[in-house]
Amino acid sequence: MLVNGDGRVFVGRRIDNKEGDWWQMPQGGVDEGEDLDQAALRELAEETGARPEHVSIIDRMAESVRYDLPEELIGKLWGGKYRGQEQVWFLARFSGSDEDIDLNAHDPAEFCDWKWAEPEHLPELIVPFKKRVYRAVVEAFRELV
């Protein structure tokens, strides 16, 4: 969860989701042997272009969060290898300006558009099967945002 100085959260519209007006927070995988904090900062830089000097990790959820794909997506996403994800969520503060966001910082880009959103609106913006995850993330970081 990347939060700006106004307490709003970065969300992006995925390039590969043409079936709805869904927005999500940056997320990504951890390379073998990679430290979770470093993975979070790397993925954030790849997906948003936010440079490390503009990002400070504030907190990490105590428990990981899991979700399962809906039946209609199993076998279609992630090369058919996975049925869901287990995620470790971080809260990070962004000290840069909007001009420091660069969705094309990594090839291929993951997002085609982005905006700052109010934290309480996040569950309304995400695909339905991730709403429970987003509610948990908002609740975990509510006091720190």
Side-chain angles (χ1 to χ4, degrees), residues 3-139:
V3 181
N4 69 11
D6 296 326
R8 299 183 78 196
V9 180
F10 177 99
V11 290
R13 191 168 43 207
R14 291 183 58 90
I15 285 177
D16 61 359
N17 188 342
K18 310 287 189 227
E19 303 194 11
D21 188 28
W22 307 118
W23 297 78
Q24 75 174 46
M25 291 183 281
Q27 62 183 52
V30 180
D31 295 333
E32 177 125 5
E34 189 176 24
D35 173 79
L36 288 180
D37 289 25
Q38 293 305 312
L41 292 172
R42 176 185 53 75
E43 285 287 344
L44 192 58
E46 288 176 4
E47 295 182 14
T48 69
R51 295 189 312 273
E53 62 266 23
H54 294 140
V55 178
S56 303
I57 292 178
I58 305 299
D59 201 6
R60 174 175 154 184
M61 284 180 66
E63 302 286 327
S64 59
V65 183
R66 293 179 180 205
Y67 71 87
D68 292 322
L69 290 172
E71 287 297 322
E72 65 270 13
L73 294 179
I74 292 175
K76 294 180 180 172
L77 295 181
W78 307 314
K81 292 164 89 174
Y82 306 102
R83 300 179 58 85
Q85 282 191 334
E86 178 176 275
Q87 299 177 326
V88 176
W89 281 90
F90 289 81
L91 172 65
R93 180 83 54 206
F94 180 67
S95 61
S97 67
D98 287 359
E99 290 75 30
D100 294 315
I101 300 293
D102 179 7
L103 299 182
N104 295 309
H106 188 261
D107 187 24
E110 183 153 338
F111 299 123
C112 58
D113 198 7
W114 72 277
K115 63 183 178 181
W116 296 109
E118 297 297 330
E120 64 272 10
H121 293 217
L122 293 174
E124 302 162 20
L125 300 174
I126 190 64
V127 291
F129 64 90
K130 291 185 184 178
K131 287 184 185 302
R132 181 187 56 79
V133 170
Y134 274 40
R135 283 193 289 270
V137 172
V138 169
E139 183 59 32

